[in-house]
Structures are given as C-alpha cells and as structure tokens.
Amino acid sequence: MRMSDLITQEILRMLNDSSINTAEIQRNEFANTIGCAPSQINYVLSSRFTPEHGYIIESRRGGGGYIRIHRVVTDRSSAVMHIINSIGSSIDSMSTRVLIENCLESNLVSTQTAALMSSAVSGSAMQAVPVELRDSLRASIIKQMLLTLV
C-alpha cells in the first residue's frame, strides 16, 4: 500500500470514529505516528480532502496548531450533484480513483457499483481512445454514471 493511501485510510478511520464527522491532527505528530514526512500529509490533504471531495480543512499554525478535517454531510442527491459539478470537463485517472473511493466511503455507491465505475474508466477500457481525449471521456462517463444515482 502506498504511503498516501495509508495516510488517507487513517484520516478516514478517524472521521468514521468521530460522532461529529471531524478529525483533528497535529501534522508533525501525525507524521511521526504514520512514519512519513509532514509534507506527505499536506499532499494527501490538498489532493484527497478537498471541498470538491466533500471536506473542509481548517488549520491553525503555531505551537498549539492543528489541522481539522471536517466531512460535509449532505443528503444523497445534493452530494451526488456536488460531485458531478466538481468534476469539470476532464478528470485524470488518479482523481477518478479517489472520487470513486470517496463515493464508496460515503455510502453513495455500493461496492459493486464502485467496481463497475472503476472498470468503465480503467486503462484497458480507455486503451482505444487517444491519450489526449481520455480525461474528458472519463469525466463524461463518470458524470453519466453518477447521474443515475440522483
């Protein structure tokens, strides 16, 4: 498992254990616990815990500083429409993987649906499509699949 996946998994565990959908970490302390560089925590937060993915990050610098990750809770239709609107005209394969994982983690899709979505936009499914068109086609496919959930 990659370090970024491990960090993500631990933050999601903390969020799931929280009754208020909030996880609070001290970056250096959390990095020591996980066994990574603090910059890797920053990378995960800026790429996987964004408003587009349904999270709000609050931070306070200094000795008593913290990073607070808050999962925004909305009704299913609003959440799906927010995700669709956040995709834009193209999406790369890594962002798609994170998006599908977040949908699964938020119980917006079942395990089977997540697997089907991943398969539909996989590298082998996109093989016949010119490289420069893959991200826009992937966005269109994911949006259409998500629209069936609304």
Side-chain angles (χ1 to χ4, degrees), residues 7 10 12 14 27 62 71 84 100-101 104 114 142 147:
I7 295 166
E10 182 59 22
L12 288 173
M14 293 168 73
R27 192 179 69 134
R71 184 179 357 207
I84 291 169
I100 292 169
E101 286 174 5
L104 183 60
I142 290 294
L147 278 172

Side-chain angles (χ1 to χ4, degrees), residues 34-105:
I34 297 288
C36 68
S39 61
Q40 288 176 294
I41 308 253
N42 289 347
Y43 167 76
V44 169
L45 291 174
S46 65
S47 63
R48 300 187 183 188
F49 293 91
T50 64
E52 294 81 25
H53 292 114
Y55 300 94
I56 297 172
I57 304 294
E58 176 187 342
S59 63
R60 190 168 117 195
R61 297 180 184 264
Y66 59 82
I67 298 172
R68 191 173 290 147
I69 304 109
H70 181 73
R71 184 179 357 207
V72 178
V73 179
T74 58
D75 65 79
R76 181 185 171 137
S77 293
S78 296
V80 171
M81 288 309 297
H82 178 74
I83 293 166
I84 291 169
N85 291 330
S86 72
I87 292 172
S89 60
S90 68
I91 186 168
D92 61 40
S93 60
M94 174 61 88
S95 296
T96 301
R97 185 174 67 82
V98 170
L99 182 145
I100 292 169
E101 286 174 5
N102 286 340
C103 286
L104 183 60
E105 186 68 33

